[in-house]
Amino acid sequence: MAVPPIGRLSLSVVVTLLSLVLVLLGSRGAGLSLADLTDDPSLSNSREWFAGGLSTFGFILMAASCGVAFFSVSLRKFFVVGRRRSSASFWIGTCSSVLLIDDAYMLHDSIFPTLLGIPEVVPQVLIGSGVAGVLFLFRKAIAESFVFAIPAVICWTLSVLIDVGLDDSGLVVLLLEDGFKLLGICFWLQFCWDMAKRSVGQMINQKKAALGT
């Protein structure tokens, strides 16, 4: 029996909470500050292998989101079903790639403010608007998966607001900011997986119908 989408959302909550607990325990056991374990490894003063562990875990999940989205696009292209650049999966995969690159190289946090003199909130708003725009344009194609996409966008928005509006040196603020960010990534991975699974399923049904005729 299939688990309802609302029930499946709890998986992301469990993964996020377990990750935060492990980070807290790791920071105490290793004598590192929480920021060393949550920030991107390239920005950390520590050279320990586990520096930036939470951030790296988020990269892996976001890379998986890109993979499942583009994999479904490749299958549809291989079986000549639909057009690649007009598919929801292609543009969702593109959004995932932009989010991954921005987060991995800290473009909004370092490149834009340092080299271009642009406040970090500006690229964050632009990227967020792009993701929201894609979701809106393809809302009919991904309607059944919005139960995962909307919580992801909400969690990322909360993470950005906490980052911009609160002092990120406090323990609670760090946990909230990185917790909402990771939770949003988990929801997004579920969104990409659900959308890709339905896309491939539709392709298989189309092929079966064509063979049946």
Side-chain angles (χ1 to χ4, degrees):
M1 183 177 180
V3 180
I6 297 297
R8 288 160 56 196
L9 288 173
S10 60
L11 176 62
S12 293
V13 178
V14 171
V15 171
T16 301
L17 290 177
L18 285 177
S19 300
L20 293 176
V21 170
L22 289 175
V23 166
L24 281 172
L25 294 176
S27 64
R28 291 193 174 187
L32 294 172
S33 69
L34 185 62
D36 287 330
L37 290 174
T38 58
D39 283 345
D40 182 84
S42 63
L43 300 180
S44 176
N45 293 325
S46 172
R47 298 301 176 187
E48 299 290 348
W49 65 269
F50 41 74
L54 189 65
S55 181
T56 302
F57 182 52
F59 297 159
I60 294 171
L61 296 182
M62 186 56 76
S65 301
C66 298
V68 296
F70 284 130
F71 180 67
S72 68
V73 175
S74 298
L75 281 180
R76 294 179 70 88
K77 180 184 178 183
F78 179 78
F79 288 104
V80 196
V81 177
R83 292 178 296 173
R84 182 182 64 180
R85 290 181 176 82
S86 63
S87 70
S89 295
F90 175 80
W91 288 105
I92 293 300
T94 300
C95 288
S96 301
S97 299
V98 171
L99 290 167
L100 174 61
I101 293 172
D102 173 67
D103 198 23
Y105 294 98
M106 303 301 291
L107 300 183
H108 68 274
D109 196 41
S110 57
I111 302 299
F112 281 92
T114 303
L115 297 181
L116 304 177
I118 300 175
E120 64 177 274
V121 68
V122 174
Q124 287 179 321
V125 169
L126 290 176
I127 293 173
S129 299
V131 173
V134 169
L135 292 176
F136 177 77
L137 290 174
F138 293 97
R139 60 191 182 280
K140 292 183 179 179
I142 58 179
E144 295 180 29
S145 300
F146 262 107
V147 69
F148 302 114
I150 297 303
V153 173
I154 291 174
C155 287
W156 283 334
T157 301
L158 290 174
S159 178
V160 171
L161 292 176
I162 292 171
D163 181 33
V164 174
L166 299 177
D167 181 9
D168 60 1
S169 61
L171 175 63
V172 175
V173 175
L174 278 173
L175 288 176
L176 288 174
E177 178 187 346
D178 291 300
F180 278 122
K181 176 182 173 182
L182 181 61
L183 184 57
I185 293 174
C186 290
F187 284 143
W188 189 259
L189 175 57
Q190 286 188 296
F191 163 63
C192 290
W193 178 267
D194 187 71
M195 187 184 63
K197 182 177 68 174
R198 290 191 298 103
S199 177
V200 172
Q202 291 170 0
M203 177 196 68
I204 293 174
N205 292 334
Q206 290 179 23
K207 284 298 180 181
K208 286 182 178 179
L211 291 175
T213 56

